[in-house]
Amino acid sequence: MEEMKVSMYQLYKEMLTSYLENQSEHALYHAQQFSKQMMEQDMSPEETVSLHISVFQELKDDLSQEVIDSFDLLLEVMIGYGLAYREHQSLRDRQQRLESELDVAARMQKTLLPHNDLKMDQIDLGVISVPASKMSGDYYHYGTDDSGNVIVAVADVIGKGVPAALSMSMIKYAVDTLTEKEFQPASLLESLNRVVHRNIDEDMFITMMYGLYDSTDHTFYYASAGHEPGFVYDASEDTFDNLEAKGLVLGVSPKVSYKESSFSLKENDFVVLLSDGVTECRVDGEFIERAQLVDIIRRHQHLTAQEIVDQVYQELEKAQEFQLKDDFTLLILRRKV
């Protein structure tokens, strides 16, 4: 270590001597290379200044007292700078580790969402879910039960970041477990509410719209736990109506009853479920009106369900200059035959 210090001292002395004699670009290039060596040796800023002072005083032994005193001040400044710089480096390293861990968590979170196609000739389903940041507080679900009924759901954790994402994972496993018992929407929300109430903090809540399409008689049953209303499109009338249902958000009270509603889903009718990140998109600086959202869907309703949700997202993302303010989830279930 001592030999290393002597070597750095000698190198700097030669470099400074050369520069003071001719101020050449070549000497400045060597200074840049020397700085790399300083980093490799983990030299602090104050050690670098101290090295310069020692070498300069050896080369110029007739320095005035004022110059020597100025070096003392510079050294104190660099000691403070060095401490702040090392703290900054430490914080940056911690931030990079956290970012890396969040990347892993975000990838794991995506695996919680369904990705398989619904292999049913009579159903066309499309879904898009885009987080506003790395971790999402939105959750969607689709699948079939043992009777061939189609299950769809969209949920939104009231909260952000990692706590919301962890709550989302709990919702996923609870829904997977409960749907195995073929609950109707209202009964499932009541069971899910008890799970949520037991397992999340009292200052966190979850909204959900849950629907079940009976593939035998083509009835769509649904219930809501304080969730953003969706839409239902009636192909024969060419009209959009709000898909509304009242119900307390999940997690507030352990004993809650939910109202279940239903309607017939005719050929080419479709249901739209969404999170509030869709309706809170801004167009021309103002929150999008539900009528405007309907207009966008209507322009693309001749496309497949997946193409519709993709087009709606692209239009709203562009209107917000590609900066989402909230997690965005949109799901469409259409009866084809």
Side-chain angles (χ1 to χ4, degrees):
M1 181 62 71
E2 197 63 36
E3 292 178 0
M4 190 177 299
K5 289 182 179 179
V6 171
S7 175
M8 294 291 284
Y9 184 92
Q10 189 61 37
L11 283 172
Y12 193 79
K13 180 179 178 181
E14 293 171 1
M15 182 176 63
L16 183 58
T17 301
S18 173
Y19 181 72
L20 292 176
E21 289 176 353
N22 50 43
Q23 289 84 46
S24 68
E25 292 290 331
H26 186 67
L28 292 176
Y29 171 77
H30 277 297
Q32 293 176 358
Q33 299 305 307
F34 185 79
S35 67
K36 296 178 181 178
Q37 291 180 269
M38 289 162 46
M39 287 187 286
E40 291 173 358
Q41 304 300 330
D42 197 25
M43 288 181 62
S44 65
E46 64 267 25
E47 288 175 325
T48 304
V49 172
S50 181
L51 173 64
H52 176 83
I53 293 171
S54 298
V55 171
F56 195 50
Q57 285 181 318
E58 180 182 343
L59 295 178
K60 303 291 182 179
D61 55 5
D62 57 346
L63 293 175
S64 69
Q65 188 60 44
E66 285 184 340
V67 172
I68 295 173
D69 291 343
S70 73
F71 282 156
D72 291 339
L73 178 63
L74 176 61
L75 187 58
E76 288 299 319
V77 169
M78 295 312 295
I79 288 174
Y81 172 80
L83 291 173
Y85 179 76
R86 282 191 289 273
E87 183 178 358
H88 169 75
Q89 288 289 93
S90 176
L91 290 174
R92 190 181 68 175
D93 291 343
R94 288 172 58 188
Q95 183 178 7
Q96 288 175 341
R97 288 195 299 271
L98 179 59
E99 289 290 326
S100 178
E101 291 171 359
L102 285 175
D103 286 338
V104 173
R107 290 195 296 270
M108 292 179 63
Q109 188 182 39
K110 289 180 180 178
T111 66
L112 301 176
L113 299 170
H115 299 286
N116 298 328
D117 292 334
L118 274 180
K119 301 185 184 302
M120 298 181 67
D121 293 336
Q122 61 180 287
I123 289 298
D124 180 23
L125 185 136
V127 62
I128 186 168
S129 188
V130 182
S133 57
K134 288 188 177 181
M135 306 295 289
S136 177
D138 280 3
Y139 171 72
Y140 68 84
H141 175 85
Y142 63 80
T144 57
D145 63 19
D146 292 339
S147 299
N149 300 318
V150 180
I151 299 162
V152 289
V154 171
D156 186 358
V157 180
I158 301 175
K160 302 294 180 186
V162 174
L166 291 173
S167 296
M168 193 200 86
S169 65
M170 177 199 64
I171 286 289
K172 180 263 192 299
Y173 289 111
V175 169
D176 284 350
T177 301
L178 293 171
T179 52
E180 292 175 357
K181 301 177 183 178
E182 299 187 20
F183 281 116
Q184 286 290 112
S187 298
L188 183 133
L189 287 182
E190 290 167 13
S191 297
L192 189 58
N193 175 67
R194 291 191 289 272
V195 174
V196 172
H197 186 266
R198 288 196 302 265
N199 290 281
I200 67 172
D201 291 339
E202 59 183 18
D203 60 343
M204 292 188 69
F205 310 105
I206 298 171
T207 70
M208 176 179 277
M209 178 75 81
Y210 185 89
L212 182 147
Y213 170 67
D214 190 320
S215 58
T216 303
D217 64 9
H218 308 296
T219 301
F220 187 82
Y221 301 88
Y222 66 98
S224 174
H227 195 74
E228 182 75 19
F231 301 98
V232 56
Y233 173 69
D234 187 319
S236 62
E237 299 291 334
D238 190 28
T239 57
F240 282 85
D241 292 316
N242 288 333
L243 189 69
E244 293 189 82
K246 294 183 179 180
L248 193 63
V249 297
L250 302 174
V252 174
S253 173
K255 295 182 179 181
V256 180
S257 295
Y258 292 93
K259 179 182 177 181
E260 184 171 292
S261 303
S262 65
F263 57 87
S264 177
L265 199 66
K266 301 182 295 294
E267 187 174 339
N268 292 322
D269 290 356
F270 60 83
V271 174
V272 180
L273 303 185
L274 44 84
S275 66
D276 60 9
V278 179
T279 53
E280 290 180 3
C281 286
R282 292 179 181 269
V283 177
D284 298 327
E286 301 291 336
F287 285 124
I288 188 171
E289 299 288 341
R290 289 175 67 84
Q292 291 176 281
L293 180 57
V294 165
D295 288 342
I296 298 174
I297 296 173
R298 185 182 288 280
R299 285 203 305 272
H300 303 293
Q301 68 184 55
H302 62 284
L303 303 174
T304 67
Q306 187 59 54
E307 289 170 336
I308 295 172
V309 297
D310 289 341
Q311 288 294 325
V312 172
Y313 170 70
Q314 289 171 22
E315 286 197 28
L316 292 179
E317 182 190 34
K318 183 178 180 180
Q320 297 181 104
E321 299 181 347
F322 305 96
Q323 292 291 326
L324 289 180
K325 305 300 182 184
D326 197 2
D327 304 322
F328 183 107
T329 300
L330 182 64
L331 182 149
I332 291 180
L333 173 75
R334 171 191 275 151
R335 178 186 168 190
K336 293 194 296 184
V337 294

